[in-house]
Amino acid sequence: MSDMDRRRFIRSAAAAGVAISAPDSLFGEGRAPAVHAQDRVAPKVIADRTGYTSRDESGTNAVSRALRGITGGEDVLDALIAGVTIPERDPEETGVGYGGVPNAEGVVQLDAACMHGPRGWAGGVGALEGVRTPSLVARDVMAQTDHHLLAGEGAQKFARQMGYEIEDSLTTDNSLRIWREWKRRIDPEHWLDPSERQEAGRQAAREMIREGLVDRTTYRGTIHCAGITPSGDVSAVTTTSGLWFKLPGRVGDSPILGAGLYVDNDVGTSGSTGRGEANLYNLSSFRAVQLMRDGRHPKDAGMEALRRIRDSTRDPRLMDEEGRPAFNVRFFLLNREGQHAGVAMYAGGDAESEYALCTEEGAELMTFEPLLEGGPAG
Ligand code: GLY
């Protein structure tokens, strides 16, 4: 970590103090229940890059906020969720929550899920409209219902019943500007031919990325955040506004257990960002945690999950000229010994190359281990 980053971490952590609002604890005040009894692990939080770059008014980012909660004895999942609500509430962050780029009809629909390692609980929401912090609603689905996943109107109704403010729209001037530009570029006539319309939409988005109108790294913007306590308990949360300009109702991998995230308190965690459809075909997070259960290091488990996605990609429209996946997928892995990894199908070209790590030494950006050279073609 550079001196500048260290100073920024110390400053933001100090500024944050106890003033940062945390969700009401799942387990009341005091230390959260630990399954693994003795402190033996250096506490740690990993997340995608947004977990480092997005900051609240006090300058605190998600990973620093989460680690501070974990070391302060807050429940591990409460701490992680308090962290990701920072980018969820950030109007400048176009990949999650408020200000996330809307779907094809200009409506922001959010997906999120969380898993609590010590309890073995999980909850999720899909295509939720009107609530800036879907991760908190996912936590309430986990803690307050017998279900795992609520979607669409049902998810919103549940959120209203839980007392969340339902806003008419989560768009911002910036996200609407991006959506209007995309709309302007696609030919409405293509609605008559779904395959051409789909390609026109992709082409418009590619051009907008190339022209610098939008940031490639947030095109499938998602934040995954996982953490481990000193006693080796783990939890994770994933939250996203999903693929930009998606069809209304599209739910990606983020809220699906085994895909967007998976937690086994005896083994570790895996979570994903990138092309959700590719992850869903392989339930890669479940697979990666199983590989870690078999003794594989988080990096090896993540690489194996990526290889499986590469090998199962057979649709020519999803492949580049060399037959490689034309899209990116990333995994963030953490085992109960506190070893971690960030791996990506691609980390070169204009692909995102870094992810976030926070330890008691401070927050820093780490470099992804890529499976394939260069960047994705699509
Ligand atoms: N991985 C996020 C999504 O595809 O929605």
Side-chain angles (χ1 to χ4, degrees), residues 111 220-222 238 240-243 246 250-255 260 272-277 279:
D111 300 337
R220 290 178 197 275
T222 299
T238 303
T240 188
S241 49
L243 177 64
K246 61 194 174 185
R250 180 262 190 189
V251 173
D253 59 328
S254 301
S272 179
T273 66
R275 184 179 160 79
E277 283 73 5
N279 186 11

Side-chain angles (χ1 to χ4, degrees), residues 169-378:
S169 171
L170 297 179
T171 53
T172 56
D173 287 349
N174 182 45
S175 65
L176 271 182
R177 178 187 59 80
I178 293 169
W179 178 78
R180 274 197 304 269
E181 183 60 22
W182 176 78
K183 250 339 212 189
R184 192 184 66 74
R185 290 176 186 228
I186 63 170
D187 182 352
E189 295 295 319
H190 286 150
W191 279 107
L192 300 175
D193 180 340
S195 63
E196 286 184 27
R197 194 209 68 80
Q198 193 181 30
E199 182 47 33
R202 279 211 201 90
Q203 183 60 27
R206 276 197 292 265
E207 281 171 18
M208 288 166 70
I209 291 169
R210 252 197 315 274
E211 291 168 26
L213 280 170
V214 295
D215 177 4
R216 169 189 269 283
T217 60
T218 58
Y219 180 51
R220 290 178 197 275
T222 299
I223 177 163
H224 171 76
C225 190
I228 185 163
T229 68
S231 57
D233 287 326
V234 290
S235 287
V237 56
T238 303
T239 176
T240 188
S241 49
L243 177 64
W244 290 18
F245 318 129
K246 61 194 174 185
L247 287 178
R250 180 262 190 189
V251 173
D253 59 328
S254 301
I256 307 299
L257 294 185
L261 80 177
Y262 196 73
V263 175
D264 183 328
N265 209 47
D266 292 331
V267 179
T269 73
S270 172
S272 179
T273 66
R275 184 179 160 79
E277 283 73 5
N279 186 11
L280 282 167
Y281 273 113
N282 294 280
L283 290 179
S284 309
S285 285
F286 180 75
R287 183 178 174 79
V289 171
Q290 290 306 107
L291 290 166
M292 290 195 285
R293 177 185 286 286
D294 294 340
R296 304 281 281 271
H297 186 280
K299 183 179 138 190
D300 296 340
M303 283 297 184
E304 189 57 37
L306 288 171
R307 272 193 283 275
R308 177 73 197 138
I309 290 176
R310 180 197 61 190
D311 296 346
S312 64
T313 301
R314 301 201 185 94
D315 188 337
R317 81 191 164 85
L318 298 174
M319 291 155 80
D320 67 14
E321 287 170 356
E322 295 169 40
R324 311 184 313 166
F327 53 84
N328 211 355
V329 183
R330 308 168 206 89
F331 291 100
F332 310 87
L333 307 107
L334 184 61
N335 68 15
R336 60 171 288 193
E337 277 73 47
Q339 295 170 313
H340 78 277
V343 301
M345 191 71 80
Y346 301 97
D350 54 3
E352 195 165 303
S353 60
E354 296 167 316
Y355 65 100
L357 170 71
C358 191
T359 65
E360 286 175 296
E361 299 295 303
E364 59 188 315
L365 287 171
M366 308 290 291
T367 305
F368 278 117
E369 195 74 38
L371 178 68
L372 303 174
E373 293 300 313

